[in-house]
Amino acid sequence: MMDYNEKDLENALLEQLNATEDLLNEWVDDPYYADGNMINEFWDHIRRAPACGIIGDYDVDGVCGTFIMGKSIQK
């Protein structure tokens, strides 16, 4: 299994989306944009929590999202 780092995954996603500099600027201006500090704070809370529940619905994106979040938290 190949080991990827966060930057590799980000670059691959941006390439698949054909993200331009203008599009990236729009994302940064998005009020729901999660900066690095917010993401680090989220993971700090997850690491300190004695337990964590993940709730997802049972359609395709809900099942996939729940699975991905579960695998992410297990690491």
Side-chain angles (χ1 to χ4, degrees):
M1 183 173 185
M2 191 173 283
D3 196 24
Y4 294 100
N5 65 38
E6 184 177 322
K7 201 64 177 163
D8 291 335
L9 295 174
E10 180 182 346
N11 288 335
L13 178 61
L14 293 174
E15 185 177 319
Q16 286 185 4
L17 294 173
N18 294 320
T20 63
E21 192 68 35
D22 292 336
L23 181 59
L24 294 176
N25 289 334
E26 285 180 30
W27 287 344
V28 172
D29 293 336
D30 182 353
Y32 299 106
Y33 176 78
D35 65 4
N37 292 331
M38 184 184 300
I39 293 168
N40 288 335
E41 188 175 329
F42 168 80
W43 285 112
D44 287 343
H45 285 290
I46 294 295
R47 285 186 198 99
R48 288 193 308 257
C52 180
I54 302 169
I55 300 171
D57 58 1
Y58 48 87
D59 59 3
V60 174
D61 62 330
V63 171
C64 293
T66 303
F67 175 80
I68 291 168
M69 183 56 79
K71 285 295 189 182
S72 297
I73 289 174
Q74 287 177 358
K75 290 185 177 185

